[in-house]
Amino acid sequence: MTLPMFPDQAPALPDIIPARRIKGQVSAVLVALGGDFVTGDAASISMGYDGIGGDYHAGPTRRSGSREPWYPRGTEMRNERQVSIVASDELAIVAARMGIDRIEAGWIGANLVIEGIPLLSMLPPRTQLFFEGGVTLRIDGDNGPCRIAGASIARNFPDRDATTLALDFVKAAKRLRGVVAWVEKPGLISKGETVSAHVWEQWIYPAG
């Protein structure tokens, strides 16, 4: 039997960024109970394995859409978008780019507003969010901005062209629209509680 040949030296590994924890605080909790994705303020929200009870995006599964072109539209798939999380500093940047004075988190369907974690929208997939009250959320990835959320913003600025403003949001909010997550450990999240983001080791996979 011929044994495989191995190089004398292993290939160079990419730079490894160590794991770390970053502290933040929940400044708002919101829930969508009105039959669409727009959310309203709440004092606290109960998280189960299916997401937020009664929320528009709750459920163990969801139907695929434009974000999943590898499936026929409407395919049932795992719901990794149970919770939408944003940062007010990033929303302020998006609003300035769009030439409007503000973007309310509820207009774009956010469930949590978190302060104190820099570049929230760039937290990598697999990051865990440990909340003071015992809930753990696992981040799936960044939330790509869409025209539907842009149209929701535009409804609050009737003096502006709705179509233009909706499309402006898609461009202005790229990598600033927050992240989506699923419930790893259920419980209650309340406004004002602390949260710790556990960012795992990171590296850039060398394609080739």
Side-chain angles (χ1 to χ4, degrees):
M1 181 175 66
T2 303
L3 296 176
M5 299 296 292
F6 294 95
D8 293 334
Q9 275 191 323
L13 293 176
D15 292 337
I16 307 296
I17 300 174
R20 58 203 183 280
R21 290 181 181 266
I22 308 168
K23 295 287 188 180
Q25 187 172 37
V26 178
S27 63
V29 294
L30 307 99
V31 62
L33 301 176
D36 65 15
F37 72 94
V38 175
T39 52
D41 288 328
S44 61
I45 46 178
S46 179
M47 299 277 186
Y49 289 117
D50 289 351
I52 302 168
D55 186 78
Y56 183 80
H57 287 106
T61 64
R62 67 179 180 87
R63 299 291 178 178
S64 65
S66 60
R67 291 185 174 91
E68 297 83 31
W70 46 89
Y71 296 134
R73 187 179 288 261
T75 300
E76 187 175 20
M77 58 176 286
R78 172 64 61 188
N79 184 10
E80 83 295 9
R81 301 176 59 84
Q82 293 175 337
V83 185
S84 172
I85 307 167
V86 299
S88 57
D89 61 329
E90 293 183 334
L91 294 185
I93 294 171
V94 177
R97 288 178 176 178
M98 295 173 65
I100 54 180
D101 64 345
R102 74 195 190 285
I103 296 174
E104 300 287 345
W107 297 348
I108 58 173
N111 299 117
L112 296 172
V113 181
I114 292 180
E115 311 290 350
I117 297 180
L119 301 173
L120 178 86
S121 293
M122 302 196 81
L123 286 173
R126 197 184 176 210
T127 296
Q128 290 166 293
L129 299 176
F130 294 96
F131 292 83
E132 179 184 355
V135 173
T136 305
L137 301 181
R138 179 84 68 159
I139 291 176
D140 178 75
D142 69 312
N143 194 1
C146 66
R147 287 181 292 177
I148 296 173
S152 178
I153 295 170
R155 287 195 290 271
N156 295 276
F157 298 92
D159 58 321
R160 297 282 299 273
D161 180 77
T163 300
T164 299
L165 205 58
L167 292 174
D168 284 349
F169 175 72
V170 175
K171 294 180 291 185
K174 189 174 183 178
R175 301 189 183 93
L176 290 170
R177 199 245 186 272
V179 294
V180 289
W182 50 272
V183 179
E184 180 172 282
K185 181 174 176 290
L188 194 72
I189 295 179
S190 300
K191 180 179 178 179
E193 71 178 80
T194 58
V195 57
S196 176
H198 179 193
V199 183
W200 291 79
E201 281 188 340
Q202 295 177 78
W203 54 83
I204 302 299
Y205 178 76

